[in-house]
Amino acid sequence: MFNVDIIRGDFPILQREVHGRKLVYLDNAATTQKPLAVLDAMRSEYLNVNANVHRGVHYLSQQATELHEAARERVRSFLNARKTEEIIFTRGTTEAINLVASTFCMSQMKAGDEVLVTDMEHHSNIVPWQMQALQRGIVVRHLPITDEGELRMDLLDEYLTERTRLVSLCHVSNVLGTVNPVAEVVARAHALGIPVLVDAAQSAPHMAIDVQQMGCDFLALSGHKMYGPTGVGVLYGREEWLDRLPPYQGGGEMISNVSWEKTTYNELPFKFEAGTPDYVATHGLATAIDYITALGLDNIHAHEQGLLSRCTEQLSQIDGLRILKGEAPPSSPEGDTIDFCPTKLSCPPRGAKGGLGEASGVLSFVVEGTHPLDIGTLLDQLGIAVRTGHHCAQPLVERLGLTSTVRASFALYNTVEEVDALTAALHRVIPMLS
């Protein structure tokens, strides 16, 4: 059974005090805490199996290689990819998207061709495309959102033009918590022969992902957001696409043969893995996947949805506090290139228009007459860790007519008591700032 009290025992950091108060950690969308199983696995490898992978015939190197490639297979199984060759280890979601942006635009696009993103993207799924726009003259368009904080699917066909070469969108918004209908986006894009990249940084820790069922051509995720180590992530890519794309970086491991006359490249997946990988981190990532799989992603999702529902209900009762879901953006395609439209939008209480719908464990809010930084600072003094700012989604926050918000985000180890502690703290803090 899913027992949060037992689970919390796997995360010693949750027992510490901050400013003399027990830590309430609600910044999980930024990074999650690591269970002892992950820390112990990585420590054990450094102590017992530390050697460079793929290059040594000696025992330690062979053991390290086996652990590293077992991690690749574990990720393949977790995502239900067809082959381990479709699993590329990266430093995280950001590098994975940059890899695709660089190699895809280099080999598959020309000036005037378009990439379609959305209004709710993280900077990691905006800036790499803007950089390519400046370097290669491609055009970056962004699909608007509805007043419920969902994609304007009614406009998708309008935004998929004869110039569109790739769609790149988040599975879950890190600000609004919206779960996007990626399978439908993929189907409609594929009907026009357009491949799709999915940013799964905010979905992989919370729900089951099946890349074959989803149908996406690329998918990126980060280990540190799913209870694994920092500095490691994954790019899934269909074999046929990875074969067509050129290498991202040059150096050791990605080569087959080097001479002064010509260099030939290694087979997949090593073609995209130049240099020594963080083979200890990949083992840690595999251990984290084992951990959440054993708990059950359906159980995790249900637990977090319960916390989100309780928090939404309680915070909705606080005068002057508005939970963000977004408000109707303009439906006109004007201003939809890399210069983002500065339209100011209002922020109704979450659920005010049609209920919560499907959302991930993220709750962003503002309080009338106060600055999010002040709220976050005072909450910290009470031991409660939340995130304030634009959450690396500045265009979305600006479209909401804001510069920053307060964000509480939930994980498998958070409790009902912690939700209540946040509510009580806000009731104490807000009058101090009024």
Side-chain angles (χ1 to χ4, degrees):
M1 295 180 62
F2 189 95
N3 187 319
V4 70
D5 292 327
I6 294 175
I7 289 169
R8 287 177 66 86
D10 294 334
F11 298 84
I13 195 171
L14 299 179
Q15 306 306 315
R16 72 162 298 180
E17 291 188 349
V18 174
H19 303 303
R21 298 176 181 272
K22 188 175 180 180
L23 171 66
V24 175
Y25 186 79
L26 299 176
D27 192 21
N28 296 287
T31 196
T32 52
Q33 301 302 331
K34 321 308 174 191
L36 284 170
V38 170
L39 303 178
D40 290 345
M42 295 176 68
R43 184 173 187 272
S44 176
E45 182 163 2
Y46 273 127
L47 288 174
N48 300 296
V49 197
N50 184 38
N52 211 328
V53 296
H54 298 141
R55 303 172 188 177
V57 297
H58 60 84
Y59 182 74
L60 290 184
S61 179
Q62 293 295 310
Q63 273 198 309
T65 299
E66 289 174 6
L67 286 173
H68 182 63
E69 292 306 319
R72 196 186 307 274
E73 166 57 25
R74 189 67 191 88
V75 174
R76 184 213 63 77
S77 176
F78 181 70
L79 297 177
N80 193 32
R82 292 173 298 173
K83 299 180 177 182
T84 55
E85 288 83 355
E86 297 181 321
I87 303 300
I88 310 298
F89 285 123
T90 67
R91 291 180 298 163
T93 301
T94 298
E95 184 176 56
I97 295 174
N98 272 272
L99 187 161
V100 176
S102 177
T103 61
F104 191 93
C105 293
M106 178 193 306
S107 62
Q108 307 296 319
M109 299 185 70
K110 61 183 184 300
D113 286 347
E114 298 174 355
V115 169
L116 179 62
V117 296
T118 80
D119 269 354
M120 61 176 70
E121 299 306 317
H122 189 280
H123 294 168
S124 294
N125 200 27
I126 297 174
V127 179
W129 306 110
Q130 290 180 321
M131 293 171 66
Q132 293 297 321
L134 291 173
Q135 294 172 16
R136 305 182 188 279
I138 69 167
V139 177
V140 184
R141 303 187 71 197
H142 46 102
L143 185 68
I145 58 174
T146 69
D147 55 358
E148 289 82 22
E150 299 174 348
L151 295 181
R152 286 291 304 271
M153 296 296 289
D154 59 315
L155 296 179
L156 180 59
D157 291 339
E158 175 185 338
Y159 277 71
L160 293 173
T161 75
E162 68 279 0
R163 291 177 176 267
T164 308
R165 297 293 176 264
L166 182 79
V167 177
S168 188
L169 78 161
C170 60
H171 193 177
V172 171
S173 167
N174 73 315
V175 176
L176 301 176
T178 305
V179 181
N180 287 323
V182 291
E184 181 182 352
V185 173
V186 168
R188 289 166 67 173
H190 280 186
L192 300 173
I194 302 168
V196 178
L197 184 156
V198 175
D199 172 357
Q202 294 295 334
S203 58
H206 306 289
M207 60 189 72
I209 294 176
D210 185 327
V211 292
Q212 294 191 66
Q213 185 177 49
M214 187 183 290
C216 60
D217 302 275
F218 305 98
L219 182 139
L221 59 82
S222 294
H224 74 97
K225 294 184 187 292
M226 49 193 299
Y227 313 97
T230 58
V232 67
V234 171
L235 172 67
Y236 156 79
R238 287 181 181 268
E239 184 179 25
E240 53 266 36
W241 271 114
L242 294 177
D243 279 335
R244 293 168 65 179
L245 299 182
Y248 178 50
Q249 295 177 322
E253 193 63 34
M254 54 75 64
I255 59 94
S256 176
N257 184 71
V258 176
S259 70
W260 290 120
E261 291 72 32
K262 183 180 180 180
T263 292
T264 56
Y265 304 130
N266 207 344
E267 61 187 8
L268 293 175
F270 311 114
K271 168 183 168 184
F272 294 102
E273 295 182 351
T276 298
D278 194 340
Y279 50 84
V280 176
T282 60
H283 181 43
L285 173 60
T287 306
I289 289 174
D290 286 339
Y291 183 86
I292 61 177
T293 302
L295 291 176
L297 282 161
D298 288 344
N299 294 330
I300 293 170
H301 184 68
H303 173 71
E304 293 170 347
Q305 288 295 295
L307 298 176
L308 177 64
S309 178
R310 185 181 184 93
C311 194
T312 299
E313 179 181 359
Q314 291 185 356
L315 267 58
S316 295
Q317 306 305 313
I318 298 177
D319 290 340
L321 187 149
R322 295 181 294 167
I323 300 172
L324 306 185
K325 286 203 71 180
E327 186 60 42
S331 59
S332 169
E334 295 179 2
D336 62 357
T337 58
I338 60 174
D339 293 324
F340 292 93
C341 176
T343 304
K344 304 302 181 184
L345 309 173
S346 60
C347 309
R350 190 169 195 160
K353 299 190 177 184
L356 277 173
E358 186 180 18
S360 188
V362 172
L363 192 151
S364 294
F365 63 91
V366 292
V367 178
E368 185 177 358
T370 67
H371 195 286
L373 178 61
D374 294 333
I375 294 175
T377 300
L378 291 181
L379 288 177
D380 176 63
Q381 293 299 310
L382 298 175
I384 300 174
V386 295
R387 181 54 58 101
T388 65
H390 50 62
H391 317 300
C392 295
Q394 195 168 358
L396 172 58
V397 174
E398 289 182 351
R399 290 289 292 271
L400 297 173
L402 303 167
T403 58
S404 63
T405 79
V406 182
R407 183 184 70 188
S409 50
F410 304 107
L412 57 86
Y413 42 63
N414 289 126
T415 66
V416 168
E417 290 76 17
E418 290 180 320
V419 171
D420 295 345
L422 172 63
T423 303
L426 287 170
H427 277 292
R428 178 177 176 183
V429 163
I430 291 172
M432 298 170 61
L433 298 171
S434 301

